[in-house]
mmCIF file of all heavy atoms in Angstrom:
data_model
loop_
_atom_site.group_PDB
_atom_site.id
_atom_site.type_symbol
_atom_site.label_atom_id
_atom_site.label_comp_id
_atom_site.label_asym_id
_atom_site.label_seq_id
_atom_site.Cartn_x
_atom_site.Cartn_y
_atom_site.Cartn_z
ATOM 1 N N THR O 21 11.790 80.891 50.112
ATOM 2 C CA THR O 21 12.940 81.313 49.275
ATOM 3 C C THR O 21 14.217 80.802 49.877
ATOM 4 O O THR O 21 15.142 80.301 49.075
ATOM 5 C CB THR O 21 12.986 82.944 49.341
ATOM 6 O OG1 THR O 21 11.863 83.430 48.868
ATOM 7 C CG2 THR O 21 14.168 83.386 48.445
ATOM 8 N N LEU O 22 14.393 80.710 51.149
ATOM 9 C CA LEU O 22 15.662 80.158 51.762
ATOM 10 C C LEU O 22 15.665 78.648 51.333
ATOM 11 O O LEU O 22 16.827 78.302 50.937
ATOM 12 C CB LEU O 22 15.478 80.265 53.375
ATOM 13 C CG LEU O 22 15.554 81.606 53.960
ATOM 14 C CD1 LEU O 22 15.718 81.498 55.506
ATOM 15 C CD2 LEU O 22 16.675 82.368 53.426
ATOM 16 N N VAL O 23 14.667 77.959 51.381
ATOM 17 C CA VAL O 23 14.588 76.585 51.033
ATOM 18 C C VAL O 23 14.844 76.357 49.539
ATOM 19 O O VAL O 23 15.561 75.395 49.157
ATOM 20 C CB VAL O 23 13.301 75.838 51.540
ATOM 21 C CG1 VAL O 23 13.111 74.506 51.023
ATOM 22 C CG2 VAL O 23 13.204 75.851 53.102
ATOM 23 N N ARG O 24 14.289 77.273 48.835
ATOM 24 C CA ARG O 24 14.514 77.149 47.380
ATOM 25 C C ARG O 24 15.980 77.376 47.027
ATOM 26 O O ARG O 24 16.671 76.590 46.275
ATOM 27 C CB ARG O 24 13.769 78.248 46.637
ATOM 28 C CG ARG O 24 13.724 77.940 45.103
ATOM 29 C CD ARG O 24 12.743 78.854 44.329
ATOM 30 N NE ARG O 24 13.249 80.224 44.252
ATOM 31 C CZ ARG O 24 12.458 81.293 44.583
ATOM 32 N NH1 ARG O 24 11.220 81.120 45.179
ATOM 33 N NH2 ARG O 24 12.968 82.597 44.571
ATOM 34 N N GLN O 25 16.661 78.334 47.708
ATOM 35 C CA GLN O 25 18.001 78.681 47.558
ATOM 36 C C GLN O 25 18.957 77.560 48.168
ATOM 37 O O GLN O 25 20.078 77.275 47.655
ATOM 38 C CB GLN O 25 18.445 79.946 48.129
ATOM 39 C CG GLN O 25 17.949 81.186 47.393
ATOM 40 C CD GLN O 25 18.583 81.138 45.926
ATOM 41 O OE1 GLN O 25 19.765 80.824 45.733
ATOM 42 N NE2 GLN O 25 17.702 81.493 45.060
ATOM 43 N N GLY O 26 18.493 76.873 49.246
ATOM 44 C CA GLY O 26 19.255 75.818 49.824
ATOM 45 C C GLY O 26 19.148 74.433 49.129
ATOM 46 O O GLY O 26 20.107 73.766 49.154
ATOM 47 N N PHE O 27 18.032 74.186 48.557
ATOM 48 C CA PHE O 27 17.766 72.745 48.053
ATOM 49 C C PHE O 27 17.150 72.784 46.654
ATOM 50 O O PHE O 27 16.917 71.732 46.108
ATOM 51 C CB PHE O 27 16.891 72.091 49.002
ATOM 52 C CG PHE O 27 17.366 71.957 50.347
ATOM 53 C CD1 PHE O 27 16.942 72.852 51.299
ATOM 54 C CD2 PHE O 27 18.409 70.993 50.756
ATOM 55 C CE1 PHE O 27 17.475 72.818 52.670
ATOM 56 C CE2 PHE O 27 18.894 71.042 52.117
ATOM 57 C CZ PHE O 27 18.472 71.996 53.030
ATOM 58 N N GLY O 28 16.876 73.955 46.064
ATOM 59 C CA GLY O 28 16.289 73.923 44.677
ATOM 60 C C GLY O 28 14.896 73.542 44.816
ATOM 61 O O GLY O 28 14.311 73.110 43.743
ATOM 62 N N ILE O 29 14.213 73.632 45.877
ATOM 63 C CA ILE O 29 12.832 73.098 46.077
ATOM 64 C C ILE O 29 11.902 74.163 45.590
ATOM 65 O O ILE O 29 11.863 75.289 46.098
ATOM 66 C CB ILE O 29 12.541 72.669 47.575
ATOM 67 C CG1 ILE O 29 13.397 71.372 47.811
ATOM 68 C CG2 ILE O 29 11.160 72.449 47.848
ATOM 69 C CD1 ILE O 29 13.253 70.946 49.242
ATOM 70 N N PRO O 30 10.968 73.888 44.545
ATOM 71 C CA PRO O 30 9.944 74.851 44.194
ATOM 72 C C PRO O 30 8.944 75.258 45.234
ATOM 73 O O PRO O 30 8.683 74.329 46.164
ATOM 74 C CB PRO O 30 9.318 74.243 42.909
ATOM 75 C CG PRO O 30 9.838 72.894 42.799
ATOM 76 C CD PRO O 30 10.876 72.627 43.910
ATOM 77 N N ARG O 31 8.330 76.387 45.139
ATOM 78 C CA ARG O 31 7.402 76.779 46.119
ATOM 79 C C ARG O 31 6.251 75.820 46.364
ATOM 80 O O ARG O 31 5.862 75.640 47.545
ATOM 81 C CB ARG O 31 6.789 78.148 45.704
ATOM 82 C CG ARG O 31 5.725 78.783 46.634
ATOM 83 C CD ARG O 31 6.382 79.206 48.011
ATOM 84 N NE ARG O 31 5.372 79.408 48.967
ATOM 85 C CZ ARG O 31 5.034 80.574 49.454
ATOM 86 N NH1 ARG O 31 5.450 81.734 48.982
ATOM 87 N NH2 ARG O 31 4.114 80.657 50.452
ATOM 88 N N GLU O 32 5.774 75.158 45.203
ATOM 89 C CA GLU O 32 4.549 74.269 45.448
ATOM 90 C C GLU O 32 5.025 73.038 46.236
ATOM 91 O O GLU O 32 4.313 72.579 47.126
ATOM 92 C CB GLU O 32 4.179 73.609 44.027
ATOM 93 C CG GLU O 32 3.946 74.682 42.969
ATOM 94 C CD GLU O 32 5.212 75.016 42.271
ATOM 95 O OE1 GLU O 32 5.765 74.159 41.531
ATOM 96 O OE2 GLU O 32 5.716 76.175 42.509
ATOM 97 N N TYR O 33 6.229 72.589 46.059
ATOM 98 C CA TYR O 33 6.636 71.439 46.884
ATOM 99 C C TYR O 33 6.855 71.833 48.352
ATOM 100 O O TYR O 33 6.468 70.994 49.320
ATOM 101 C CB TYR O 33 8.041 70.947 46.311
ATOM 102 C CG TYR O 33 8.465 69.574 46.750
ATOM 103 C CD1 TYR O 33 7.999 68.478 46.334
ATOM 104 C CD2 TYR O 33 9.405 69.569 47.899
ATOM 105 C CE1 TYR O 33 8.440 67.215 46.931
ATOM 106 C CE2 TYR O 33 9.818 68.398 48.519
ATOM 107 C CZ TYR O 33 9.378 67.123 47.986
ATOM 108 O OH TYR O 33 9.760 65.980 48.464
ATOM 109 N N PHE O 34 7.344 73.027 48.556
ATOM 110 C CA PHE O 34 7.536 73.598 49.838
ATOM 111 C C PHE O 34 6.130 73.664 50.587
ATOM 112 O O PHE O 34 6.070 73.162 51.657
ATOM 113 C CB PHE O 34 8.231 74.909 49.916
ATOM 114 C CG PHE O 34 8.333 75.535 51.200
ATOM 115 C CD1 PHE O 34 9.306 75.314 52.142
ATOM 116 C CD2 PHE O 34 7.342 76.519 51.602
ATOM 117 C CE1 PHE O 34 9.397 75.942 53.359
ATOM 118 C CE2 PHE O 34 7.412 77.193 52.844
ATOM 119 C CZ PHE O 34 8.500 76.936 53.684
ATOM 120 N N ASP O 35 5.254 74.185 49.839
ATOM 121 C CA ASP O 35 3.925 74.456 50.501
ATOM 122 C C ASP O 35 3.273 73.010 50.811
ATOM 123 O O ASP O 35 2.690 72.879 51.828
ATOM 124 C CB ASP O 35 3.048 75.226 49.599
ATOM 125 C CG ASP O 35 3.371 76.730 49.604
ATOM 126 O OD1 ASP O 35 3.839 77.156 50.622
ATOM 127 O OD2 ASP O 35 3.074 77.391 48.650
ATOM 128 N N ARG O 36 3.258 72.134 49.845
ATOM 129 C CA ARG O 36 2.735 70.738 49.995
ATOM 130 C C ARG O 36 3.442 70.076 51.252
ATOM 131 O O ARG O 36 2.699 69.537 52.061
ATOM 132 C CB ARG O 36 3.078 69.896 48.788
ATOM 133 C CG ARG O 36 2.587 68.524 48.979
ATOM 134 C CD ARG O 36 2.942 67.756 47.700
ATOM 135 N NE ARG O 36 2.822 66.115 47.942
ATOM 136 C CZ ARG O 36 3.718 65.319 47.926
ATOM 137 N NH1 ARG O 36 4.961 65.662 47.578
ATOM 138 N NH2 ARG O 36 3.573 64.166 48.316
ATOM 139 N N SER O 37 4.692 70.235 51.355
ATOM 140 C CA SER O 37 5.380 69.476 52.578
ATOM 141 C C SER O 37 4.981 70.050 53.856
ATOM 142 O O SER O 37 4.660 69.466 54.911
ATOM 143 C CB SER O 37 6.992 69.700 52.430
ATOM 144 O OG SER O 37 7.329 69.266 51.232
ATOM 145 N N VAL O 38 4.829 71.407 53.892
ATOM 146 C CA VAL O 38 4.419 72.215 55.087
ATOM 147 C C VAL O 38 2.964 71.769 55.553
ATOM 148 O O VAL O 38 2.645 71.468 56.730
ATOM 149 C CB VAL O 38 4.515 73.716 55.000
ATOM 150 C CG1 VAL O 38 3.951 74.383 56.233
ATOM 151 C CG2 VAL O 38 6.020 74.038 54.882
ATOM 152 N N GLU O 39 2.107 71.675 54.452
ATOM 153 C CA GLU O 39 0.757 71.277 54.692
ATOM 154 C C GLU O 39 0.772 69.816 55.251
ATOM 155 O O GLU O 39 0.060 69.551 56.193
ATOM 156 C CB GLU O 39 -0.158 71.327 53.467
ATOM 157 C CG GLU O 39 -0.291 72.764 52.865
ATOM 158 C CD GLU O 39 -0.704 73.745 53.838
ATOM 159 O OE1 GLU O 39 -1.449 73.460 54.822
ATOM 160 O OE2 GLU O 39 -0.212 74.878 53.813
ATOM 161 N N LEU O 40 1.575 68.960 54.660
ATOM 162 C CA LEU O 40 1.583 67.590 55.119
ATOM 163 C C LEU O 40 2.098 67.417 56.507
ATOM 164 O O LEU O 40 1.526 66.561 57.338
ATOM 165 C CB LEU O 40 2.513 66.645 54.188
ATOM 166 C CG LEU O 40 1.859 66.342 52.767
ATOM 167 C CD1 LEU O 40 2.844 65.742 51.973
ATOM 168 C CD2 LEU O 40 0.781 65.372 53.001
ATOM 169 N N PHE O 41 3.154 68.058 56.819
ATOM 170 C CA PHE O 41 3.687 67.986 58.157
ATOM 171 C C PHE O 41 2.990 68.843 59.200
ATOM 172 O O PHE O 41 3.241 68.633 60.371
ATOM 173 C CB PHE O 41 5.140 68.185 58.184
ATOM 174 C CG PHE O 41 6.005 67.010 57.479
ATOM 175 C CD1 PHE O 41 6.009 66.812 56.211
ATOM 176 C CD2 PHE O 41 6.697 66.196 58.456
ATOM 177 C CE1 PHE O 41 6.823 65.690 55.715
ATOM 178 C CE2 PHE O 41 7.359 65.134 57.927
ATOM 179 C CZ PHE O 41 7.491 64.827 56.466
#
Side-chain angles (χ1 to χ4, degrees):
T21 305
L22 297 187
V23 172
R24 191 172 72 233
Q25 285 301 320
F27 305 96
I29 289 175
R31 178 70 197 254
E32 313 81 74
Y33 189 86
F34 174 81
D35 284 339
R36 174 181 167 246
S37 306
V38 173
E39 295 316 322
L40 280 170
F41 282 79

